[in-house]
Amino acid sequence: MSTLTPAAPRNTIPAAAGNTGSRRRGKTRMDPTRNNTAAGIAAWLLALLFASPVVWMILTSFHSETDAATNPPSVAASLTLDAYREFFGETSGVSPWPSLINSATASILSTVLVLVLAIPAAYALSIRPVKKWTDVMFFFLSTKMMPVVAAILPLYLFARTVGALDNIWFLILMYTSMNLPIAVWMMRSFLAEVPEEMLEAAQIDGANLLLILRKVIAPVAMPGIAATALICFIFSWNELLLARVLTGVVAGTAPVFLTGFVSGQGLFLAKVCAAAVVISLPVLFAGFAAQDKLVQGLSLGAVK
Amino acid sequence: MRPKMRAASLAAGALCVALSASACAGAGGGNAAGDPNSINVLMVNNPQMEDLQRLTADNFTKETGIKVNYTVLPENDVRAKISQEFSSQAGQYDVASLSNYEIPFYSANGWLAPLDAVATDPEFEQDDILPAYTASLTGADGKLYGEPFYGESSFLMFRKDILDAKGLTMPEKPTWDQVADIAAKADGAAPGMKGICLRGQPGWGQVFAPLTTVVNTFGGTWFDKDWNAQVNSPEFTAATDFYTKLVREHGEAGAAQAGFTECLNNMSQGKVAMWYDATSAAGALEADASPVKGKIGYAQAPVKETSSSGWLWTWSWAAQAASKKQDAAAKFIAWASSKDYEQLVAAKLGWAKVPSGKRISTYENTDFQKAAPFFKAERFAIENADPKNPGTQPRPAVGIQFVGIPEFAALGTNVSQGVSSAIAGQGSVADALAKGQQAAQKVGNKYKQP
Amino acid sequence: MTTATARISRPGHTAAKPARTAKSRERALAWARRAPLLPALVFLIVVTQLPFVVTLIISFLNWNSLSPTKTAFAGLENYVTVLTDPDLRQAIFTTILLTVSVVLASLLIGLGLALLLDKKFIGRGLARTLLIAPFLVVPVAAALIWKHALLNPAYGLVNGILTWLWSLFGSATPPQLDLLSQAPLAAVAVSLVWQWTPFMMLILLAGLQSRPMDTVEAAQMDGATPWAIFRHLTLPHLRQYLELGGLLGAIYIVQNFDSVFTLTAGGLGTANLPYAIYQTFYYANEYGLASAAGVVVVIGTIIVATFALRTVFSLFKKEAAR
């Protein structure tokens, strides 16, 4: 399958191959065009297949309720903004903004807190590892093995006793503890990629900790930090169970607000789709904008 | 990258400051805790409640100055939250939408505040409330713990035009055999139309609401008066067999997933000719936007061995005992269940949307009668529902479509999984009821006198 | 080295003192290494272990929240119930089945997608953007879409497409699937695979883009087939990415609650452990029993994870040698 003849030197571009890949060292792509097109077609088909529920969700959100619930589904029904108007409270008088702000607050602040705790911890588990760091890693992971449902009762009772029910700060603490193990695991892998030679060289040159952090570690770990932050933000934003149990009138988050549209006694599909679109928008934007960083950051050997 | 991080942390900091400046606990509702002029209400997201939410600010809050913060959730979620809230007396919510199922045993546990202030309020006119509800919302100590927001029984709704076209007549008080017969004949009366829509979705309040009424009228019961479970008795089995067979042969597509909404949809879109379900469904079917407005006939809940079989249900308001705002809560309840509120809804949204089924005066209102052609059938159904004696034998607990014990929610849902499987064709009724018998006996043993 | 430095910098002292100073230096160094770890560790211990202890205590009680006056100590009764109750055992089996099938399926599909996206073609960026969309939709919203907009037997898209396809051939009686009733666990699994494949795909894509291409080029020059290259060069490099994806995916899918709750409400044999525990808490109101079930889940997962992490995962073995 290779288009290179065995005798051709590696850096010669064969005339017949039509290969237009760039020649960056270590990242060469040498696939012939035929494979590319086949791969492209297959990838596009699968991409459309995977994205079709999302596309359908967006389309349904622009239909009226009765149109959304017909069989066969009316793809070409007239578009309307009714569902979005309902979501933004034109008829019900209930604004979604408080819950969106609460979600944003909880997600952003818990992500910041997670990073503040996880990065030093990851440092202590990779660059200057403590003894028995595998045990510590295992402990971090084991905290995620208890189903949240089972732990909800003690949390609820504690919050009630302390008066922290319906309080966004308590939720932030919960989200931090929820995401911390994964953040530590991910950051540890990223920090483990910092080349030892550079660290030792910097130390020999007499650089202090802060300088090492800024000049040696940060450039390597930044994509990783971005990836971790994105993952933590996504998981916090999407969380439903804790929010539903621990919040009430004041601190309700967006997913809880969304479930309020699922009526047992009327048509709700278009409204729910509209709500889902709006509530997923921040995460969608963050994900799309940062997907490069995500891939880069998840690449545990980017510098190899 | 660092300037971006700095911007992000600045934004986070600004949010922090903004939050501290406001309620500090979250962005919604304002300072809910200490403000004596605001109450928190937790309710199910039925259309009548959503209308209430819409109309509160401009009416109740303007008149009394009491701000109402609502939390609205789907039924299963709201029950879970209510159960946790009231059992721990957390005091987060002042008023919640409970039903005539929970209020008896919640009040027995001391979780509810008596609503004497509302009941004795002359403007509220407690006598106008249908006695069936006042009775079912009174606790064991004789005090009233709930006020109905809207009430319903069950009856049979059918497409007059379809049945007429097929030369079929529906008696006012049909039997189940007659209904099965009509369903068979109405099958296919219009393209894609099936004879009847019956709930099949798992849940004590979903499939078992209508099914328990069928069980009652076939002579069966969940428990006999000595708390012996009767789930696999011949009558219960016959009723479940009948129900399952009817829905599999002449019922809607996807019956095992069909709840109230699916059947409402099917009936509105002409996919079924009949529907046995809550009387409150008729309001939706006769709404202006309904494609079947004016085409529906109403008959009483079909019977076999009993003279009536309609259920009795009310979504009511109850005040939490731990709430520190009993006065404001009482005012809210008195308003939400009042005649004035019904008039308000009629004026702003039309009579079809009024939370009816609780006041005698509403049934006698001519405007309501015009907008609700089902009013006679509904009133008759409610007044003939007897929660103390719904079947052919004495019961150990009140309740028509449920058994008024706390364990019934889990028991009913548990057994309903098997019944839904049978409706889906994935298991037999006998198996489902055998398992159900075991589960029910465990519960019954708890209540037996030693 | 420390001892030597100590001796050099403190000439007048005896040999015993340097040893003690060296030891305290070592301890100080060890604490300096631990210090950055402590905030996270302490935070996590306080926030997760304390509730776990309370759950443990409650699991020994016979506590039904609807009969608060009958709360009593119950010893191991709840644990016996958890291990013998057929519904809870079914839930364990369902959880294992669901987790294994979803993780494997999403890893395989994710691998395929990553391999495709590794190649250059027109609109690759847009294709990748479309492919990660499922992971970014709020899970409860995604479950609602699957339940009501796609799989609903009356007006869902799946049946709609079947109707349309059959009408192309002039047929008015298309087969209408009712997946939620006929194959409920498969429906839940499909919606979970749909959500998690992008996650696996991204991890594996990162792995693919980080492999050294020199060896691959050399192998290609030597005439190796793509399959041989994949098996002997790509796959070993991807191993730690596959493990990471599998591990993270397993942890999250074992805990999955929203999908089961929304799609089937735990009916028709799809109740997994989190749902069974939720049901015990909120329907049965048996707080003691539900807590015991939670503890059993933790112990079971720790046992499984210990074996998995210590023996199977190269992640730790490789790093332990670092």
Side-chain angles (χ1 to χ4, degrees):
Chain A
M1 283 293 173
S2 167
T3 53
L4 290 174
T5 61
R10 241 197 305 163
N11 283 330
T12 310
I13 303 176
N19 191 335
T20 52
S22 74
R23 291 225 153 244
R24 269 175 304 156
R25 183 162 173 67
K27 297 243 186 240
T28 326
R29 298 284 175 268
M30 304 252 317
D31 303 281
T33 328
R34 205 176 69 229
N35 275 358
N36 276 5
T37 326
I41 293 177
W44 266 99
L45 280 177
L46 284 171
L48 289 173
L49 184 66
F50 264 83
S52 51
V54 181
V55 172
W56 184 246
M57 176 178 87
I58 298 177
L59 187 60
T60 309
S61 71
F62 287 108
H63 285 163
S64 72
E65 285 293 358
T66 31
D67 282 336
T70 54
N71 180 18
S74 24
V75 178
S78 54
L79 302 179
T80 161
L81 281 179
D82 279 343
Y84 286 95
R85 281 197 210 108
E86 287 252 13
F87 174 73
F88 281 102
E90 220 179 75
T91 38
S92 68
V94 182
S95 168
W97 289 112
S99 51
L100 287 171
I101 294 177
N102 281 335
S103 270
T105 320
S107 307
I108 295 176
L109 291 185
S110 72
T111 303
V112 167
L113 191 53
V114 164
L115 288 177
V116 164
L117 290 173
I119 296 177
Y123 179 89
L125 290 169
S126 57
I127 295 182
R128 287 186 174 279
V130 302
K131 265 189 264 183
K132 302 230 179 89
W133 63 271
T134 47
D135 289 339
V136 176
M137 295 290 288
F138 188 76
F139 168 72
F140 273 113
L141 203 61
S142 73
T143 63
K144 287 211 72 66
M145 293 178 187
M146 162 78 93
V148 177
V149 198
I152 273 199
L153 180 63
L155 291 172
Y156 181 82
L157 291 176
F158 173 77
R160 193 202 63 156
T161 320
V162 167
L165 275 180
D166 204 15
N167 192 316
I168 198 82
W169 298 104
F170 191 66
L171 207 57
I172 291 173
L173 282 180
M174 288 299 107
Y175 286 172
T176 309
S177 78
M178 185 179 84
N179 288 322
L180 192 54
I182 301 300
V184 168
W185 265 72
M186 289 177 74
M187 284 307 311
R188 194 211 71 86
S189 306
F190 305 138
L191 288 182
E193 293 307 320
V194 175
E196 276 199 56
E197 316 84 48
M198 288 183 71
L199 276 173
E200 284 171 9
Q203 271 183 329
I204 292 173
D205 286 347
N208 68 356
L209 187 60
L210 214 55
L211 213 60
I212 294 180
L213 279 175
R214 270 176 49 193
K215 298 282 186 186
V216 179
I217 297 182
V220 175
M222 264 313 164
I225 294 180
T228 310
L230 179 65
I231 294 271
C232 290
F233 179 81
I234 292 178
F235 285 144
S236 303
W237 183 275
N238 290 344
E239 204 282 330
L240 175 62
L241 193 55
L242 280 172
R244 194 168 62 209
V245 171
L246 295 173
T247 68
V249 211
V250 167
T253 59
V256 181
F257 188 76
L258 170 73
T259 57
F261 284 99
V262 182
S263 169
Q265 299 209 343
L267 295 174
F268 58 84
L269 200 51
K271 275 196 291 280
V272 167
C273 285
V277 167
V278 175
I279 288 174
S280 301
L281 274 180
V283 176
L284 280 168
F285 276 141
F288 290 157
Q291 56 168 312
D292 278 335
K293 287 280 169 292
L294 196 57
V295 174
Q296 209 183 338
L298 287 169
S299 162
L300 301 178
V303 196
K304 276 212 188 87
Chain B
M1 189 44 63
R2 244 191 287 134
K4 272 198 204 161
M5 294 285 276
R6 217 179 268 158
S9 40
L10 268 179
L15 255 170
C16 254
V17 173
L19 271 186
S20 334
S22 73
C24 192
N31 191 354
D35 186 359
N37 268 338
S38 87
I39 55 168
N40 296 339
V41 175
L42 175 60
M43 61 188 192
V44 68
N45 65 350
N46 289 345
Q48 296 87 338
M49 277 71 171
E50 292 186 334
D51 294 337
L52 176 70
Q53 189 179 31
R54 206 184 307 174
L55 295 170
T56 306
D58 287 335
N59 296 286
F60 180 69
T61 310
K62 260 212 197 122
E63 277 171 34
T64 58
I66 301 176
K67 188 167 184 300
V68 182
N69 301 315
Y70 289 103
T71 297
V72 176
L73 291 171
E75 186 173 333
N76 284 343
D77 301 355
V78 89
R79 283 186 186 284
K81 204 166 165 69
I82 286 177
S83 151
Q84 194 159 42
E85 168 83 16
F86 278 72
S87 66
S88 64
Q89 291 287 288
Q92 285 283 296
Y93 291 96
D94 307 291
V95 176
S97 62
L98 297 179
S99 67
N100 54 330
Y101 167 65
E102 297 101 349
I103 287 187
F105 51 84
Y106 273 31
S107 62
N109 281 334
W111 295 341
L112 306 177
L115 295 179
D116 301 328
V118 180
T120 51
D121 181 357
E123 266 190 42
F124 183 77
E125 292 183 52
Q126 186 69 38
D127 296 332
D128 190 31
I129 305 271
L130 287 161
Y133 294 126
T134 311
S136 59
L137 296 175
T138 305
D141 57 0
K143 294 203 193 156
L144 191 61
Y145 285 97
E147 291 291 0
F149 180 53
Y150 73 90
E152 62 185 34
S153 178
S154 60
F155 57 19
L156 184 66
M157 298 162 269
F158 58 93
R159 288 282 297 274
K160 285 187 294 197
D161 51 338
I162 301 282
L163 262 59
D164 284 341
K166 278 265 169 178
L168 302 164
T169 25
M170 175 73 73
E172 254 189 51
K173 292 198 207 165
T175 66
W176 272 113
D177 292 324
Q178 288 172 327
V179 170
D181 192 46
I182 295 179
K185 297 200 178 114
D187 230 10
M193 180 178 268
K194 299 291 281 182
I196 189 168
C197 199
L198 291 171
R199 293 194 203 174
Q201 199 179 77
W204 67 277
Q206 286 292 354
V207 66
F208 258 121
L211 180 53
T212 306
T213 66
V214 179
V215 166
N216 288 339
T217 193
F218 267 60
T221 176
W222 279 90
F223 296 98
D224 69 12
K225 65 172 169 46
D226 297 318
W227 287 108
N228 295 316
Q230 300 289 313
V231 176
N232 59 357
S233 66
E235 298 83 7
F236 202 117
T237 312
T240 314
D241 272 331
F242 172 83
Y243 189 95
T244 319
K245 192 158 163 283
L246 180 58
V247 82
R248 279 177 67 77
E249 285 176 7
H250 306 295
E252 72 279 14
Q257 296 292 326
F260 182 96
T261 313
E262 285 76 11
C263 278
L264 174 61
N265 213 21
N266 279 329
M267 194 68 175
S268 306
Q269 295 192 354
K271 294 217 155 62
V272 289
M274 295 191 286
W275 183 23
Y276 171 61
D277 211 305
T279 59
S280 55
L285 289 174
E286 299 286 352
D288 286 327
S290 164
V292 292
K293 180 183 164 83
K295 298 186 188 162
I296 311 276
Y298 301 94
Q300 289 301 302
V303 293
K304 195 173 164 83
E305 314 254 340
T306 56
S307 58
S308 71
S309 81
W311 70 56
L312 190 70
W313 181 262
T314 163
W315 278 108
S316 331
W317 302 115
Q320 193 178 158
S323 157
K324 301 207 175 41
K325 302 179 195 170
Q326 300 290 344
D327 284 337
K331 284 208 186 90
F332 171 77
I333 295 176
W335 174 73
S337 293
S338 66
K339 261 202 264 194
D340 289 340
Y341 176 71
E342 290 194 13
Q343 303 279 0
L344 176 66
V345 176
K348 292 247 157 99
L349 306 169
W351 275 104
K353 291 200 143 212
V354 164
S356 65
K358 62 180 185 289
R359 285 182 176 274
I360 301 173
S361 57
T362 314
Y363 282 119
E364 304 187 333
N365 181 308
T366 42
D367 293 321
F368 176 71
Q369 293 178 350
K370 266 189 247 156
F374 51 88
F375 79 94
K376 259 201 216 138
E378 186 181 68
R379 183 173 178 179
F380 190 83
I382 294 178
E383 287 179 336
N384 281 288
D386 185 359
K388 293 212 173 82
N389 230 343
T392 55
Q393 69 278 81
R395 306 299 172 92
V398 290
I400 304 179
Q401 78 274 33
F402 54 79
V403 182
I405 51 174
E407 294 80 356
F408 184 74
L411 173 64
T413 304
N414 192 350
V415 184
S416 73
Q417 307 281 7
V419 173
S420 285
S421 295
I423 292 180
Q426 289 183 354
S428 72
V429 168
D431 285 339
L433 295 184
K435 274 185 75 183
Q437 172 71 11
Q438 280 185 351
Q441 196 51 63
K442 263 198 232 156
V443 172
N445 289 339
K446 270 206 250 172
Y447 283 89
K448 281 194 184 191
Q449 298 295 355
Chain C
M1 189 166 73
T2 336
T3 331
T5 331
R7 248 193 244 132
I8 293 170
S9 58
R10 293 166 185 230
H13 290 234
T14 57
K17 258 262 170 95
R20 244 188 295 142
T21 325
K23 258 233 174 89
S24 54
R25 271 254 187 107
E26 253 181 59
R27 241 183 266 134
L29 261 176
W31 274 107
R33 283 201 172 196
R34 285 191 207 123
L37 179 59
L38 287 180
L41 201 55
V42 168
F43 177 85
L44 210 57
I45 290 178
V46 168
V47 178
T48 63
Q49 300 311 301
L50 292 186
F52 180 68
V53 167
V54 176
T55 305
L56 199 58
I57 295 176
I58 297 179
S59 71
F60 290 119
L61 296 177
N62 193 349
W63 181 8
N64 184 318
S65 73
L66 290 173
S67 326
T69 46
K70 297 194 200 141
T71 309
F73 183 72
L76 291 174
E77 201 185 291
N78 287 328
Y79 288 95
V80 171
T81 315
V82 169
L83 295 171
T84 56
D85 184 56
D87 287 330
L88 284 170
R89 276 196 300 206
Q90 173 71 23
I92 294 177
F93 178 68
T94 307
T95 311
I96 296 176
L97 185 60
L98 194 62
T99 309
V100 169
S101 61
V102 171
V103 170
L104 280 181
S106 53
L107 271 179
L108 279 173
I109 302 179
L111 183 59
L113 288 172
L115 287 171
L116 283 176
L117 284 182
D118 195 34
K119 307 190 192 291
K120 243 180 153 59
F121 52 83
I122 310 174
R124 179 170 76 163
L126 189 53
R128 193 173 72 187
T129 305
L130 284 177
L131 279 168
I132 68 173
F135 185 63
L136 301 175
V137 178
V138 180
V140 70
L144 284 169
I145 302 293
W146 274 91
K147 172 162 191 177
H148 296 284
L150 297 179
L151 292 179
N152 187 300
Y155 49 72
L157 188 60
V158 169
N159 277 349
I161 290 182
L162 284 173
T163 311
W164 174 72
L165 275 177
W166 253 248
S167 71
L168 286 181
F169 296 102
S171 162
T173 47
Q176 296 276 275
L177 299 174
D178 188 2
L179 280 172
L180 281 174
S181 305
Q182 307 300 331
L185 197 58
V188 176
V190 166
S191 89
L192 282 175
V193 168
W194 178 78
Q195 275 181 55
W196 284 90
T197 301
F199 180 72
M200 303 298 191
M201 180 194 81
L202 285 176
I203 293 184
L204 294 172
L205 189 60
L208 282 177
Q209 291 188 343
S210 72
R211 66 190 158 152
M213 288 310 288
D214 341 29
T215 24
V216 177
E217 286 169 14
Q220 278 179 332
M221 276 201 292
D222 286 345
T225 60
W227 171 248
I229 294 179
F230 177 73
R231 227 185 95 190
H232 297 289
L233 291 178
T234 316
L235 214 47
H237 175 86
L238 280 183
R239 183 174 164 162
Q240 60 169 340
Y241 295 86
L242 285 167
E243 285 170 1
L244 182 68
L247 180 67
L248 292 181
I251 294 226
Y252 280 108
I253 292 172
V254 163
Q255 306 278 338
N256 177 271
F257 174 76
D258 292 338
S259 283
V260 173
F261 180 73
T262 312
L263 281 168
T264 55
L268 301 173
T270 57
N272 62 353
L273 279 170
Y275 187 80
I277 296 178
Y278 177 86
Q279 208 171 22
T280 318
F281 258 119
Y282 288 106
Y283 280 91
N285 287 286
E286 291 285 352
Y287 286 3
L289 186 59
S291 301
V295 173
V296 167
V297 171
V298 173
I299 295 179
T301 322
I302 288 185
I303 294 178
V304 171
T306 312
F307 277 123
L309 287 176
R310 303 286 181 188
T311 63
V312 176
F313 278 64
S314 61
L315 207 59
F316 275 152
K317 285 192 200 145
K318 180 176 158 218
E319 294 298 334
R322 206 173 190 262

